[in-house]
């Protein structure tokens, strides 16, 4: 298999980065930290650009691309720390009317785990509950937000408000391939983690070139060089795994990709803090936002412990 990006895929990736740089720059990022509810205007702009309709057939008003292209787009979203239920809207664009165009925002809730957490509850128009883990009966149900009983739940990521679902009426079944949805949700979350890992490498390397100590850039010191090199290695390993899994779509491939991407995002953010020194721990620096987002995503759609168990079972089998 050839995992190299095509010219069209590179153009999609570059175009997405340019779009997000223009629509969600640092000023808008910082504004979102202060007011973390989904930005409806931004959501409609993303919908108009085909962000959510990427995988829908052209006859249905979509772009007609596949999972590898969705991974590239979500990677750039992770790099920019774009908030909101991006994975949910990407996967449910063909299920809930208005999601593909950005007119509606839909949330996903994992009913197979406790506590059941709902991202951005105040900004969603619909909620889809996904039940069933490995070896269990699965199903999906649709509910209006005003019928859901929930309570605020402390979120480590200031850009991602959470609520604990206390009661959700299972009144309207939705015809979804739940195992596939969970697998794709894990992969798209891994793509966001990859994007964050890429960005923290850039931030660390940029700071190491500019910050001087003892009359020389700190990037000339062996200890800092080693940190940055390790960050790059983790990122490229995760990139290879995520890109490959987007093509094979195998359960173990996706599981391994999520595990590597989570590790790269979390450890790279920590090392980026180390490179920045004391200023990296300040609220004004953006490094902590990447670390907090990485922690949050590492607990969604498969944790490290669950991934290790699944991969070990696969080796034994």
């Amino acid at each position: 298999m050839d995992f190299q990006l095509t010219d069209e895929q590179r153009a999609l990736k570059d175009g997405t980065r340019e779009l997000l740089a223009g629509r969600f720059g640092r000023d808008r990022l910082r504004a979102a930290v202060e007011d973390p509810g989904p930005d409806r205007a931004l959501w409609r702009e993303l919908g108009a650009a085909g962000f959510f309709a990427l995988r829908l057939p052209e006859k249905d008003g979509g772009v007609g691309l596949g999972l590898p292209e969705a991974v590239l787009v979500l990677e750039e979203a992770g790099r920019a720390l774009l908030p909101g239920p991006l994975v949910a809207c990407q996967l449910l664009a063909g299920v809930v009317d208005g999601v593909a165009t950005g007119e509606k925002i839909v949330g996903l809730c994992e009913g197979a785990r406790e506590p059941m957490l709902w991202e951005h509850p105040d900004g969603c128009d619909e909620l889809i509950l996904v039940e069933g883990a490995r070896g269990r009966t699965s199903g999906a149900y649709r509910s209006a937000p005003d019928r859901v009983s929930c309570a605020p739940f402390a979120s480590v990521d200031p850009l991602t408000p959470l609520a604990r679902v206390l009661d959700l009426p299972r009144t309207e079944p939705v015809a979804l391939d739940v195992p596939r949805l969970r697998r794709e949700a894990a992969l798209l979350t891994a793509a966001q983690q990859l994007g964050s890992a890429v960005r923290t490498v850039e931030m660390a390397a940029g700071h190491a070139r500019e910050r001087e100590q003892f009359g020389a850039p700190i990037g000339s010191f062996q200890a800092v060089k080693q940190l940055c090199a390790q960050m790059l290695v983790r990122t490229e390993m995760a990139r290879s795994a995520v890109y490959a899994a987007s093509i094979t779509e195998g359960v173990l491939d996706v599981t391994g990709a999520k595990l590597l991407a989570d590790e790269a995002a979390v450890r790279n953010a920590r090392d980026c803090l180390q490179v920045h020194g004391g200023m990296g721990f300040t609220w004004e620096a953006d490094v902590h936002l990447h670390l907090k987002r990485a922690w949050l995503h590492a607990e969604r759609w498969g944790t490290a412990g669950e991934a290790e168990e699944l991969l070990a079972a696969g080796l034994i089998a």
Side-chain angles (χ1 to χ4, degrees):
M1 294 184 180
D2 183 4
F3 296 129
Q4 295 296 320
L5 300 185
T6 65
D7 291 341
E8 291 78 10
Q9 288 173 329
R10 291 185 187 279
L12 173 66
K13 197 169 187 295
D14 293 343
T16 302
R17 180 174 299 190
E18 183 178 346
L19 171 69
L20 294 179
R23 300 292 192 276
F24 194 73
R26 190 174 188 276
D27 289 344
R28 207 160 184 177
L29 169 65
R30 281 294 171 166
V33 171
E34 300 301 324
D35 182 13
D39 186 332
R40 292 281 178 169
L42 173 62
W43 218 256
R44 286 190 289 270
E45 290 176 12
L46 294 175
F51 195 96
F52 307 115
L54 193 71
R55 298 174 61 198
L56 291 181
E58 293 184 34
K59 64 181 178 61
D60 295 330
V63 184
L65 298 178
L67 187 58
E69 287 75 24
V71 161
L72 297 178
V73 168
L74 267 292
E75 178 187 343
E76 291 302 320
R79 180 183 178 276
L81 285 179
L82 186 65
L86 301 169
V87 170
C89 289
Q90 179 73 230
L91 295 177
L92 299 172
V95 177
V96 179
D97 291 340
V99 172
T101 59
E103 294 299 323
K104 278 190 178 181
I105 299 177
V106 64
L108 267 176
C109 183
E110 293 183 82
R113 302 184 64 186
E114 281 292 335
M116 288 193 295
L117 297 181
W118 179 12
E119 293 185 6
H120 297 275
D122 294 333
C124 290
D125 303 300
E126 301 248 3
L127 178 64
I128 302 294
L129 170 67
V130 177
E131 291 186 323
R134 184 161 46 102
R136 301 179 187 175
T137 302
S138 62
Y141 302 87
R142 180 174 179 173
S143 183
D146 58 4
R147 302 193 62 186
V148 181
S149 174
C150 61
F153 191 89
S155 175
V156 68
D157 179 12
L159 288 158
T160 309
L162 296 174
R164 180 175 184 173
V165 177
L166 305 176
D167 181 48
L168 196 164
R170 296 160 173 79
T171 56
E172 186 179 347
V174 181
L176 286 174
D177 184 342
V178 172
R180 179 176 180 176
L181 182 142
R182 295 179 66 89
R183 188 168 65 248
E184 292 184 352
L187 182 60
L188 294 179
T189 302
Q192 290 177 282
Q193 294 281 65
L194 170 60
S196 180
V198 169
R199 180 58 185 146
T200 49
V201 171
E202 296 171 351
M203 294 168 68
H207 183 74
R209 284 192 294 265
E210 296 174 0
R211 177 78 169 105
E212 292 191 0
Q213 193 74 28
F214 306 113
I218 62 172
S220 64
F221 304 146
Q222 186 63 36
V224 177
K225 287 181 180 178
Q226 186 172 358
L227 273 180
C228 292
Q230 289 173 340
M231 292 172 68
L232 180 60
V233 169
R234 286 190 211 108
T235 301
E236 292 308 313
M237 288 178 62
R239 186 195 303 278
S240 297
V242 171
Y243 285 9
S246 72
I247 296 175
T248 65
E249 299 186 43
V251 174
L252 295 182
D253 292 339
V254 171
T255 301
K258 176 70 163 50
L259 182 64
L260 288 172
D262 287 342
E263 180 183 19
V266 172
R267 295 185 63 182
N268 277 17
R270 287 175 174 170
D271 285 350
C272 188
L273 281 171
Q274 185 74 17
V275 171
H276 278 73
M279 69 172 294
F281 288 86
T282 63
W283 182 258
E284 289 74 15
D286 294 339
V287 186
H288 70 99
L289 297 176
H290 282 276
L291 179 57
K292 292 169 181 175
R293 177 68 62 82
W295 278 335
L296 179 70
H297 281 169
E299 296 298 317
R300 303 306 308 274
W301 305 107
T303 65
E306 293 167 344
E308 289 164 356
E309 290 287 339
L310 186 58
L311 292 170
L315 289 174
I316 295 173

